[in-house]
Amino acid sequence: MTNIAEQIQRIETDRNNIRAKLTELGLADSTANLDTLTTAIQSIENQGSVSATVQEGDTYTIPKGYHNGSGTVSGVAGGGSYNLQSKTVTPTKSQQNITPDGGYYGLSDVTVQAIPTNYQDVSVTTATTDDVLSTKVFVDSTGKTTAGTMANNGTVTEKLDTTTTSYTIPKGFHSGTGTVSITTETKSATPTKEVQQIVPTTGSVLSRVTVEAIPSEYITTTDANATASQILSGATAYVKGTKITGTMANNGAISKTIDGLNQTSVSIQAGYTTGGTVSLTNDIENALAEI
């Protein structure tokens, strides 16, 4: 069983709810006790379904009390006519409340024209802030006016050479009038006994190097077959690309004699000779005379 304290609490809660509603309706104050609240409720008249017709220019006072919500109040011309207005409006970015002008009883109809052509459906917009220049604004897909963030690099000009061999194009917009270029030059060189490095002038790039023919004093020695012993001592020559110093003895002028009695030949030493003579002595003549 519910105890007395719980019952009292329940009654106080019900009283407070009834008091709050009657205070809201203006039928009691916020300190009214249960008896006062009961009297206020009993004083409410049940008007049931209230219906009335009102002629143009007349008013109808709705009776005080409870209404079940099924009644109606309607207007009749009463021998006169309602002066209604037809209106046409153009959609705007701000909400519009369309009301009749002075002298009109009400609106017969309102025509809402098509959205003006300068208003577009932007729901298909795909541009983002990175796609639009930082000095420009656009309307995004939600209809919000947004500022672009794309960098404007304007006219970009860069010159490449043998030191600066590449150029990194910065992110952003380019005017299209800039250039990335190189300065070309041509050079020529004559073969020498030493290795040559043909390099461009600072700031330029070689487009062509012309190598002159081997000078006439340089010939191929691949078909030479002389050896050191076949070259005069002190003289040099190139054989198959190698420099050779001769070893052949230089004997100068040679002069030899043969007596004919005891000598029948003489030896000529190996080497170069400028010439000379080999002759017989008169020994053989003298011997014949003595016989």
Side-chain angles (χ1 to χ4, degrees):
M1 295 179 63
T2 303
N3 58 39
I4 295 175
E6 290 176 343
Q7 289 292 340
I8 293 174
Q9 180 63 46
R10 181 180 60 79
I11 293 170
E12 287 180 346
T13 299
D14 292 342
R15 178 205 63 194
N16 292 340
N17 291 336
I18 295 170
R19 179 193 290 163
K21 177 56 68 175
L22 291 177
T23 300
E24 177 186 340
L25 297 174
L27 298 177
D29 57 42
S30 59
T31 60
N33 59 28
L34 191 57
D35 291 338
T36 302
L37 297 175
T38 301
T39 301
I41 292 173
Q42 290 174 339
S43 67
I44 298 173
E45 294 185 28
N46 184 0
Q47 304 293 350
S49 175
V50 177
S51 296
T53 57
V54 181
Q55 293 184 351
E56 184 178 358
D58 291 343
T59 60
Y60 171 69
T61 300
I62 298 174
K64 179 180 179 180
Y66 168 77
H67 299 263
N68 65 15
S70 61
T72 59
V73 177
S74 58
V76 295
S81 62
Y82 291 105
N83 189 15
L84 303 179
Q85 182 182 22
S86 174
K87 275 195 169 183
T88 300
V89 295
T90 301
T92 65
K93 291 186 68 176
S94 300
Q95 178 178 296
Q96 302 178 76
N97 292 321
I98 313 304
T99 58
D101 296 336
Y104 290 95
Y105 186 83
L107 295 170
S108 62
D109 63 86
V110 175
T111 300
V112 181
Q113 294 183 332
I115 297 174
T117 56
N118 53 308
Y119 288 88
Q120 299 295 325
D121 178 4
V122 296
S123 61
V124 296
T125 299
T126 59
T128 65
T129 55
D130 288 341
D131 301 323
V132 180
L133 282 173
S134 59
T135 56
K136 306 298 181 181
V137 297
F138 69 103
V139 177
D140 64 17
S141 59
T142 67
K144 179 182 177 182
T145 301
T146 307
T149 59
M150 182 193 300
N152 188 346
N153 298 315
T155 300
V156 177
T157 300
E158 185 70 22
K159 187 174 290 293
L160 304 180
D161 54 30
T162 54
T163 301
T164 305
T165 58
S166 66
Y167 170 65
T168 301
I169 300 173
K171 179 180 179 180
F173 171 79
H174 297 263
S175 66
T177 58
T179 58
V180 177
S181 61
I182 60 173
T183 299
T184 62
E185 67 173 335
T186 62
K187 283 193 172 184
S188 62
T190 301
T192 66
K193 293 179 67 177
E194 304 297 332
V195 174
Q196 302 178 75
Q197 287 188 343
I198 313 303
V199 296
T201 305
T202 301
S204 300
V205 175
L206 288 173
S207 62
R208 183 179 70 249
V209 175
T210 300
V211 181
E212 304 289 351
I214 298 174
S216 58
E217 63 265 27
Y218 292 87
I219 63 172
T220 178
T221 62
T222 57
D223 59 347
N225 58 11
T227 64
S229 63
Q230 296 169 330
I231 300 171
L232 190 62
S233 178
T236 59
Y238 284 89
V239 177
K240 300 185 186 305
T242 302
K243 183 178 181 180
I244 296 176
T245 301
T247 59
M248 181 191 299
N250 187 347
N251 298 320
I254 296 176
S255 180
K256 297 283 186 178
T257 60
I258 300 174
D259 62 18
L261 296 175
N262 300 310
Q263 291 178 294
T264 58
S265 65
V266 294
S267 297
I268 305 298
Q269 61 190 112
Y272 168 77
T273 179
T274 60
T277 60
V278 177
S279 60
L280 289 173
T281 65
N282 57 4
D283 290 344
I284 190 169
E285 293 178 358
N286 292 333
L288 288 174
E290 293 177 356
I291 296 175

